[in-house]
mmCIF file of all heavy atoms in Angstrom:
data_model
loop_
_atom_site.group_PDB
_atom_site.id
_atom_site.type_symbol
_atom_site.label_atom_id
_atom_site.label_comp_id
_atom_site.label_asym_id
_atom_site.label_seq_id
_atom_site.Cartn_x
_atom_site.Cartn_y
_atom_site.Cartn_z
ATOM 1 N N VAL A 104 -38.929 -66.505 16.585
ATOM 2 C CA VAL A 104 -39.606 -66.801 15.418
ATOM 3 C C VAL A 104 -38.845 -66.536 14.114
ATOM 4 O O VAL A 104 -39.337 -66.597 13.019
ATOM 5 C CB VAL A 104 -40.994 -66.168 15.330
ATOM 6 C CG1 VAL A 104 -41.878 -66.614 16.503
ATOM 7 C CG2 VAL A 104 -40.829 -64.640 15.377
ATOM 8 N N GLY A 105 -37.564 -66.062 14.226
ATOM 9 C CA GLY A 105 -36.778 -65.724 13.130
ATOM 10 C C GLY A 105 -36.811 -64.162 12.907
ATOM 11 O O GLY A 105 -37.669 -63.518 13.352
ATOM 12 N N GLY A 106 -35.772 -63.762 12.170
ATOM 13 C CA GLY A 106 -35.581 -62.288 11.999
ATOM 14 C C GLY A 106 -34.468 -61.817 12.830
ATOM 15 O O GLY A 106 -33.880 -62.474 13.667
ATOM 16 N N TYR A 107 -34.010 -60.578 12.542
ATOM 17 C CA TYR A 107 -32.743 -60.099 13.101
ATOM 18 C C TYR A 107 -32.800 -60.109 14.665
ATOM 19 O O TYR A 107 -31.862 -60.483 15.315
ATOM 20 C CB TYR A 107 -32.551 -58.688 12.599
ATOM 21 C CG TYR A 107 -32.387 -58.500 11.140
ATOM 22 C CD1 TYR A 107 -32.986 -57.452 10.444
ATOM 23 C CD2 TYR A 107 -31.726 -59.406 10.380
ATOM 24 C CE1 TYR A 107 -32.923 -57.280 9.118
ATOM 25 C CE2 TYR A 107 -31.532 -59.308 9.041
ATOM 26 C CZ TYR A 107 -32.195 -58.199 8.397
ATOM 27 O OH TYR A 107 -32.052 -58.083 7.011
ATOM 28 N N ALA A 108 -33.901 -59.597 15.268
ATOM 29 C CA ALA A 108 -33.971 -59.457 16.697
ATOM 30 C C ALA A 108 -33.946 -60.785 17.409
ATOM 31 O O ALA A 108 -33.505 -60.886 18.555
ATOM 32 C CB ALA A 108 -35.214 -58.680 17.094
ATOM 33 N N SER A 109 -34.455 -61.821 16.753
ATOM 34 C CA SER A 109 -34.515 -63.074 17.421
ATOM 35 C C SER A 109 -33.097 -63.653 17.826
ATOM 36 O O SER A 109 -32.987 -64.213 18.880
ATOM 37 C CB SER A 109 -35.164 -64.126 16.480
ATOM 38 O OG SER A 109 -35.337 -65.352 17.040
ATOM 39 N N SER A 110 -32.200 -63.377 16.970
ATOM 40 C CA SER A 110 -30.750 -63.767 17.280
ATOM 41 C C SER A 110 -30.263 -63.249 18.518
ATOM 42 O O SER A 110 -29.687 -63.909 19.442
ATOM 43 C CB SER A 110 -29.866 -63.461 16.141
ATOM 44 O OG SER A 110 -28.503 -63.786 16.397
ATOM 45 N N ALA A 111 -30.412 -61.900 18.717
ATOM 46 C CA ALA A 111 -29.928 -61.181 19.904
ATOM 47 C C ALA A 111 -30.661 -61.563 21.123
ATOM 48 O O ALA A 111 -30.118 -61.834 22.242
ATOM 49 C CB ALA A 111 -29.990 -59.680 19.648
ATOM 50 N N ALA A 112 -32.081 -61.659 21.058
ATOM 51 C CA ALA A 112 -32.811 -61.910 22.224
ATOM 52 C C ALA A 112 -32.612 -63.353 22.747
ATOM 53 O O ALA A 112 -32.499 -63.564 23.932
ATOM 54 C CB ALA A 112 -34.354 -61.616 21.881
ATOM 55 N N LEU A 113 -32.651 -64.297 21.823
ATOM 56 C CA LEU A 113 -32.446 -65.719 22.286
ATOM 57 C C LEU A 113 -31.026 -65.986 22.723
ATOM 58 O O LEU A 113 -30.818 -66.782 23.617
ATOM 59 C CB LEU A 113 -32.921 -66.690 21.155
ATOM 60 C CG LEU A 113 -34.354 -67.193 21.428
ATOM 61 C CD1 LEU A 113 -35.337 -66.088 21.186
ATOM 62 C CD2 LEU A 113 -34.668 -68.363 20.510
ATOM 63 N N GLY A 114 -30.074 -65.332 22.010
ATOM 64 C CA GLY A 114 -28.698 -65.403 22.503
ATOM 65 C C GLY A 114 -28.560 -64.907 23.948
ATOM 66 O O GLY A 114 -27.894 -65.479 24.811
ATOM 67 N N ALA A 115 -29.276 -63.803 24.264
ATOM 68 C CA ALA A 115 -29.221 -63.240 25.634
ATOM 69 C C ALA A 115 -29.880 -64.250 26.638
ATOM 70 O O ALA A 115 -29.437 -64.409 27.708
ATOM 71 C CB ALA A 115 -29.901 -61.877 25.563
ATOM 72 N N ALA A 116 -31.031 -64.797 26.161
ATOM 73 C CA ALA A 116 -31.727 -65.709 27.033
ATOM 74 C C ALA A 116 -30.865 -66.930 27.319
ATOM 75 O O ALA A 116 -30.826 -67.401 28.505
ATOM 76 C CB ALA A 116 -32.993 -66.197 26.368
#
Side-chain angles (χ1 to χ4, degrees):
V104 298
Y107 301 137
S109 184
S110 173
L113 263 69

